[in-house]
Amino acid sequence: MSNEALNYLLENNRIKVIYGVLKQLHVSPTTAYFEDLVAEGELLFIQAYIDYQRKNEELNEQQLMGYAFRKIKWGLLDLLRKEWKQEAKIVQPTKQDEEQNVFLEQVLSATEPALVDNYEFWELVREIIMICNENERKFLIKRLFYGYSVAEIAEQEGVSRQTVNYWKNRLKQKSQKLFKLQ
């Protein structure tokens, strides 16, 4: 099935979806790791194609490409975030960081999405934040903006890893319902 997915990607120049994601993430072809990200994007597309085929009987190209775009974008963002975290050696948040979290929540929940650069991405984040409870919101912000692991979030919040995993799974379920990916 992965060969079928790869052939589908290469037909009709559909590989442009990967280049579109990279462009939206502001990764230029002159970046040293550009080709690595293209290869990772291809693997993410194959996985998205397989997941889509399992969930849907008919192949709707527009839905598949939208689904694949989101999967590739989130997968590459995750890779980049891990890389940035290792490079920056992020420290524990201070009180000032906590105040910035409140500000970021207000920005993301603002009715005027022009406050952020990447409209589509931040609009998706805003939609997800709108359906979160306070704990799920804390998890999302600490994971998305700071790149903290489940264990780090659990330590900061003074709860078990299982509790944070519960928040993560609830957030995942709500997001899936929101985007009708079930």
Side-chain angles (χ1 to χ4, degrees):
M1 186 170 234
S2 60
N3 284 338
E4 178 185 335
L6 186 59
N7 289 335
Y8 186 82
L9 175 65
L10 298 176
E11 286 176 3
N12 296 329
N13 212 11
R14 290 186 186 105
I15 198 162
K16 284 184 178 181
V17 71
I18 296 169
Y19 295 115
V21 169
L22 290 171
K23 182 177 180 182
Q24 200 170 60
L25 295 176
H26 304 290
V27 178
S28 74
T30 59
T31 306
Y33 48 87
F34 182 80
E35 291 302 320
D36 294 335
L37 291 176
V38 170
E40 288 292 334
E42 290 171 353
L43 294 173
L44 289 165
F45 180 87
I46 290 169
Q47 188 58 49
Y49 181 89
I50 292 169
D51 292 346
Y52 183 85
Q53 288 288 71
R54 286 184 187 144
K55 294 176 185 177
N56 300 292
E57 294 174 14
E58 286 186 28
L59 179 70
N60 180 325
E61 183 170 352
Q62 187 175 6
Q63 286 180 346
L64 169 62
M65 295 308 280
Y67 178 73
F69 186 89
R70 282 195 305 269
K71 285 289 211 178
I72 294 167
K73 185 173 181 181
W74 285 95
L76 292 179
L77 269 174
D78 191 40
L79 283 172
L80 290 170
R81 194 176 313 110
K82 286 177 185 175
E83 183 68 30
W84 295 331
K85 183 178 177 183
Q86 280 186 334
E87 287 176 7
K89 300 288 185 201
I90 296 177
V91 295
Q92 298 290 327
T94 62
K95 269 289 192 211
Q96 183 180 5
D97 291 334
E98 293 298 325
E99 291 169 4
Q100 287 176 345
N101 280 349
V102 172
F103 174 73
L104 288 171
E105 286 184 63
Q106 291 170 347
V107 168
L108 292 174
S109 63
T111 55
E112 210 173 312
L115 297 173
V116 291
D117 294 333
N118 190 337
Y119 177 79
E120 289 105 5
F121 173 75
W122 293 111
E123 186 63 25
L124 287 173
V125 172
R126 187 180 73 79
E127 287 179 39
I128 292 170
I129 284 179
M130 298 294 280
I131 61 172
C132 294
N133 66 30
E134 182 180 344
N135 292 327
E136 294 160 352
R137 195 172 295 128
K138 285 180 192 176
F139 170 80
L140 180 63
I141 288 172
K142 288 184 180 199
R143 185 79 177 114
L144 183 65
F145 292 102
Y146 297 105
Y148 291 126
S149 68
V150 170
E152 292 169 323
I153 295 170
E155 184 180 315
Q156 291 170 12
E157 294 299 318
V159 298
S160 69
R161 284 182 291 131
Q162 290 82 5
T163 301
V164 176
N165 276 322
Y166 174 76
W167 298 344
K168 179 175 92 172
N169 291 332
R170 288 287 299 149
L171 180 61
K172 182 179 175 183
Q173 290 171 351
K174 288 180 179 182
S175 298
Q176 286 175 332
K177 285 182 184 176
L178 180 65
F179 297 111
K180 296 178 180 93
L181 297 177
Q182 286 184 329

